[in-house]
Amino acid sequence: MQKVLFVCLGNICRSPMAEFVMKKLVSDAKLTHEFEIASAATSTEEVGNPVYPPAKRKLAENGIGCAGKTARQMTRADYEYYDHIIAMDHSNLRHINHIIGSDDRGKVSLLMDHTPHPHDVADPWYTGNFDATWKDVTEGCSALLEELKNINQ
């Protein structure tokens, strides 16, 4: 089983969108038994809060639910537990490295680095553009899943 943790600043927009998009992609591919997927924050700002309403709406528009998800902060133990820790942007990457100390096992990457055109996932908290975030997340998760499926073969 491959364990994947998506990480953003607050765990209320981008990383939960990635978590639930990836769960849907994995389910559609009939690979649920091969993956454990979750998300977390680098900060404590939103801990305990549900998915941000516009992010929840964007998921729902695409037939994806996220009921029960609340924000939590990533810990050093997550580095030990998860096989792949996927950051949404370079700032998240720096904060993850602060939390874990060192990525000595090469578990941490940027979501969009798994696509042909690496860039930071658009942050809708500041832009309000959940369509751009949806595009990035779905493209990134699709590419990541293809990579991870190849690891299993």
Side-chain angles (χ1 to χ4, degrees):
M1 175 171 286
Q2 294 192 65
K3 297 177 286 236
V4 181
L5 181 68
F6 292 100
V7 182
C8 69
L9 178 65
N11 193 215
I12 60 168
C13 292
R14 294 176 293 172
S15 62
M17 286 176 76
E19 173 187 351
F20 290 98
V21 164
M22 189 68 150
K23 285 178 176 177
K24 173 85 164 94
L25 292 171
V26 164
S27 175
D28 290 350
K30 300 190 182 349
L31 297 171
T32 304
H33 62 285
E34 295 182 28
F35 289 89
E36 181 178 332
I37 302 161
S39 64
T42 58
S43 76
T44 59
E45 294 172 28
E46 300 289 346
V47 169
N49 288 335
V51 175
Y52 189 52
K56 188 175 183 176
R57 279 193 297 276
K58 181 51 72 179
L59 287 167
E61 284 173 18
N62 290 279
I64 302 171
C66 60
K69 171 65 183 171
T70 57
R72 73 167 186 90
Q73 186 179 29
M74 181 186 173
T75 66
R76 173 76 173 122
D78 288 323
Y79 186 77
E80 300 304 322
Y81 184 78
Y82 289 93
D83 303 307
H84 310 280
I85 299 172
I86 312 297
M88 298 296 114
D89 65 30
H90 284 85
S91 177
N92 303 146
L93 195 60
R94 284 189 300 278
H95 289 113
I96 289 167
N97 285 323
H98 179 74
I99 292 167
I100 65 173
S102 169
D103 181 22
D104 55 347
R105 288 181 256 165
K107 293 182 173 189
V108 181
S109 64
L110 291 162
L111 180 61
M112 298 309 289
D113 280 358
H114 299 274
T115 72
H117 48 279
H119 62 276
D120 287 349
V121 173
D123 189 344
W125 181 259
Y126 299 105
T127 66
N129 187 346
F130 285 84
D131 292 331
T133 304
W134 174 260
K135 180 182 178 295
D136 285 349
V137 166
T138 55
E139 179 183 2
C141 287
S142 295
L144 177 62
L145 179 57
E146 287 307 309
E147 273 184 41
L148 297 180
K149 284 178 4 185
N150 290 332
I151 289 172
N152 281 345
Q153 294 176 351

